[in-house]
Amino acid sequence: MAMIDTGDTRLAYDEAGSGPAIVFVHAGVGDRRMWDHQFAAFSRTHRVVRYDWRGHGGSADHEGPVTHHEDLLALMDGLGIGRATLVGASYGGACCADAALAAPDRVESLALVCPGLSGHEWPEVFVRESRKMVLAAVPHERLEVYAAGRAEPDPADVAAMAQAQARFMVLGPGRDPEDMPPEAWDTVLLMLRELFARRWSGPALTTRWPGRPSKERLGEIAAPALVVKGLSEPGPVREVADLYAEGVPGARLLEMPETGHLPSVERPAELTAALADFLGVS
């Protein structure tokens, strides 16, 4: 792991290989470790970089709003990467799309894996289901304390929230941990436990989206795009992938059966092969 000072924060990152650049942007429910397989594979043919968002993994804490695509572009500036393929998962995908619209000359191509989308509002029923899941894991009164940050979270609450989030979002409805390879499930829980332990004990951090969100501008994305959808994800999450596939000119849609929200962890070899095909890597 290395650290880079972007002038506004310090980000933890890994870098390997040489050739055309690929930058991997992790999901909000993970950190840069979720790209282990892809990072190793593409380092043989590309210059690969993966990093942690502010307040995640090895990166610096931050209090207040963060505009993640600006951090991504600042990281590229600091590493001397003029143009790159961006590979983003979940809200990391939203970050990549925002970067492609803010700085189209910096983006060679886009791979959006089970992506989020700035400007998108979740259906009310999905919000209620998510809230129900959270409250079943940790009581409301303790959640309020944790949400304010700088708390001393009970390790049992951290573990319960990690389990709940992993089942609800990463696995998807109707699936059990046994449906995922054991090493993948362990990695997911490890990332989520560390995420909640840090989020609840550190300063409160929020996401600031662009003034003109990507949902209103998908037709302006000019970079070649691959959109990956896990068919076991919650329905409203799958629908976001469809919005990209329908809205981004020429976008290619890949549907992965029996796959939840983190294909890079659950189906690493399959996702790496799909990315290689998209990038023309033999």
Side-chain angles (χ1 to χ4, degrees):
M1 183 189 80
M3 297 291 292
I4 187 167
D5 188 336
T6 67
D8 192 37
T9 190
R10 286 176 55 79
L11 300 176
Y13 72 98
D14 300 315
E15 181 177 8
S18 61
I22 303 176
V23 181
F24 294 95
V25 188
H26 66 75
V29 293
D31 56 49
R32 72 185 194 280
R33 290 172 293 185
M34 64 173 286
W35 300 113
D36 279 352
H37 191 279
Q38 296 74 35
F39 184 82
F42 285 102
S43 67
R44 295 191 285 269
T45 55
H46 289 71
R47 178 187 182 188
V48 291
V49 174
R50 60 179 180 177
Y51 73 101
D52 289 324
W53 299 1
R54 299 191 199 205
H56 287 66
S59 290
D61 281 335
H62 180 82
E63 187 164 16
V66 175
T67 307
H68 289 293
H69 78 273
E70 293 179 354
D71 279 352
L72 167 59
L73 293 171
L75 173 83
M76 292 172 61
D77 288 341
L79 295 176
I81 299 173
R83 188 172 174 88
T85 289
L86 304 182
V87 181
S90 189
Y91 276 124
C95 168
C96 292
D98 292 340
L101 287 166
D105 58 316
R106 308 290 301 276
V107 180
E108 183 70 30
S109 56
L110 281 173
L112 307 173
V113 182
C114 305
L117 176 61
S118 62
H120 182 71
E121 295 186 6
W122 297 112
E124 182 59 31
V125 64
F126 184 64
V127 174
R128 287 199 303 269
E129 289 174 357
S130 176
R131 184 65 177 167
K132 182 179 178 181
M133 171 273 296
V134 166
L135 291 175
V138 180
H140 175 73
E141 61 273 13
R142 293 209 292 274
L143 277 176
E144 284 193 326
V145 173
Y146 296 157
R150 304 189 188 282
E152 295 184 6
D154 185 332
D157 287 342
V158 170
M161 184 61 79
Q163 279 274 351
Q165 286 282 1
R167 286 178 174 273
F168 181 79
M169 180 61 77
V170 180
L171 281 174
R175 301 178 81 210
D176 295 310
E178 292 74 20
D179 296 322
M180 182 181 285
E183 65 277 9
W185 181 247
D186 290 344
T187 296
V188 167
L189 289 181
L190 174 63
M191 291 191 297
L192 283 168
R193 285 195 301 268
E194 291 182 4
L195 169 67
F196 285 109
R198 181 170 183 183
R199 178 181 294 175
W200 292 343
S201 61
L205 179 152
T206 58
T207 297
R208 178 174 53 212
W209 299 107
R212 291 189 61 204
S214 289
K215 186 171 184 178
E216 302 172 3
R217 305 178 61 194
L218 292 179
E220 299 175 33
I221 294 178
L226 171 68
V227 182
V228 178
K229 177 168 66 172
L231 293 184
S232 296
E233 293 184 275
V237 183
R238 296 197 306 270
E239 291 168 6
V240 175
D242 292 333
L243 291 176
Y244 277 107
E246 296 163 4
V248 176
R252 183 192 309 179
L253 177 64
L254 171 66
E255 297 180 330
M256 299 185 70
E258 299 180 358
T259 304
H261 194 54
L262 295 182
S264 67
V265 178
E266 183 175 359
R267 309 282 184 205
E270 293 92 330
L271 180 63
T272 297
L275 293 173
D277 179 69
F278 172 61
L279 296 174
V281 178
S282 56

